[in-house]
Amino acid sequence: MTELEHGASRRTTGRASPATAIAAEVIAWVRGPGGARPHGRTPQGGMGFPSLLAPPEALRAAAGALASIHAAKLGLRAPPLGDGRPLGPGGVVLAAAVGLADAKSVAEALAEACPELSGAWDLVLRDAIVSRALATSIDADLADMLRARSPLTAVRERPAPGGEDETVLTIAALAGHADGRRLVVQTFARPGAPREVRRFRAAAMERLRTGDASLLDLVIEVYEAALVFHRERVMEEIAAARAVITGRGDPEAKIEDTLAVASFYGPLWRIRRAHGELLRKRHGLDLEGMLEGTRLFQLGAHLSGEDA
């Protein structure tokens, strides 16, 4: 939406507008304890969209506070990932898009006009807003547009279709910083993810395991963390998936969910075949859990006709 950029060149700094009011309402909602997603209405007359690129001081302060809170929740020390560049306006633009989600064409135009990422604070703020919005009922096309403009959300959940390559690169970049690496490991190791998220994580780890030694270690760390911090739940998931694969009469959706669980252990199975010595050095990598996970992958691969 070139209107945003053209309008921002005028003297809009610090001015409140209906658009900034909607963005402020969304940011307050994300910071709050819960409740329904704000549903802003497009009023008659000008919305003042260009002011989103130069928001009032109160809105900038609220956005900065939200970014700080979310970074702390993610275990990212300030400045996040060692990047102290100031917070840009991208998160504010996305907040307005979320607030106007019921006006789909307007929301999509705002998402399309979101500026380029300006640094790690912007990365964190976008994730705070987008991940909260995706937890509500929101149009699927708009949801993918929001994912495409929030790289950290794509890593923590899944990318929009076509964004897989970029997201794998983001994962590799995050892994270059201790806090970012820990965030990736903790996120990927946590069980219970939806089918599409599991499928993405399996595919991402399959690509990462063939990268340099640091990325191969990252993938092994994911499995180790899963079996150290979530062992009981992981083993329950594997047992439940095995029962579905070896049983009969389950609905197709349940089988697809189960195959997604099995696919998660594909990279571990391949690492075990090619780098067994690396796995033996990982004392937290529970042998029973590793064997059960790789056996589940083999069962799933056999059911779906894959090579294993």
Side-chain angles (χ1 to χ4, degrees):
M1 186 195 297
T2 56
E3 176 191 353
L4 259 185
E5 297 171 345
H6 291 163
S9 65
R10 307 186 191 105
R11 298 182 61 184
T12 60
T13 303
R15 294 182 185 177
S17 69
T20 57
I22 290 169
E25 188 177 356
V26 169
I27 286 173
W29 166 68
V30 175
R31 287 187 62 181
R37 174 170 50 83
H39 295 272
R41 296 182 179 179
T42 307
Q44 298 296 323
M47 279 291 288
F49 289 127
S51 62
L52 294 169
L53 295 182
E57 177 58 34
L59 179 52
R60 292 201 300 272
L66 175 57
S68 295
I69 291 168
H70 193 59
K73 288 180 178 178
L74 296 177
L76 301 176
R77 291 165 290 187
L81 308 174
D83 183 357
R85 285 178 288 175
L87 181 64
V92 172
V93 174
L94 293 181
V98 169
L100 291 167
D102 292 343
K104 182 181 176 183
S105 61
V106 176
E108 289 183 343
L110 281 170
E112 184 67 33
C114 184
E116 293 293 320
L117 197 69
S118 63
W121 283 119
D122 191 17
L123 182 81
V124 171
L125 177 62
R126 293 183 189 209
D127 180 59
I129 292 165
V130 172
S131 61
R132 183 72 178 86
L134 294 179
T136 69
S137 178
I138 196 166
D139 176 81
D141 291 336
L142 176 59
D144 278 338
M145 291 187 73
L146 294 173
R147 286 187 182 94
R149 284 148 187 85
S150 182
L152 187 55
T153 308
V155 170
R156 294 180 62 229
E157 297 184 15
R158 66 168 179 84
E164 293 82 3
D165 290 350
E166 183 178 351
T167 303
V168 170
L169 291 175
T170 301
I171 293 169
L174 287 170
H177 189 279
D179 288 351
R181 187 181 188 92
R182 182 170 56 251
L183 176 59
V184 171
V185 169
Q186 291 175 347
T187 298
F188 276 41
R190 192 176 299 117
R195 180 199 309 169
E196 291 180 329
V197 175
R198 291 183 192 272
R199 289 287 190 188
F200 164 68
R201 290 177 182 172
M205 290 196 296
E206 180 61 23
R207 292 178 58 177
L208 292 167
R209 77 169 182 87
T210 61
D212 62 33
S214 175
L215 295 178
L216 173 59
D217 283 344
L218 174 72
V219 176
I220 297 173
E221 285 173 29
V222 169
Y223 293 110
E224 186 176 31
L227 290 167
V228 169
F229 299 108
H230 308 285
R231 187 181 190 280
E232 182 177 357
R233 192 174 175 193
V234 165
M235 297 302 285
E236 288 174 352
E237 269 191 354
I238 291 173
R242 176 185 290 275
V244 171
I245 291 175
T246 58
R248 294 290 185 274
D250 286 297
E252 183 177 350
K254 188 173 183 179
I255 293 173
E256 288 298 323
D257 288 341
T258 296
L259 291 176
V261 175
S263 72
F264 181 79
Y265 296 96
L268 180 59
W269 179 77
R270 295 183 180 93
I271 291 170
R272 187 181 170 209
R273 294 181 69 191
H275 305 283
E277 74 285 356
L278 296 180
L279 300 182
R280 288 190 287 272
K281 295 176 183 178
R282 296 282 182 169
H283 301 298
L285 192 56
D286 176 81
L287 178 60
E288 181 187 6
M290 179 179 67
L291 292 176
E292 289 298 317
T294 53
R295 287 168 183 161
L296 176 65
F297 165 71
Q298 288 176 289
L299 281 173
H302 178 73
L303 181 62
S304 57
E306 297 177 13
D307 181 30

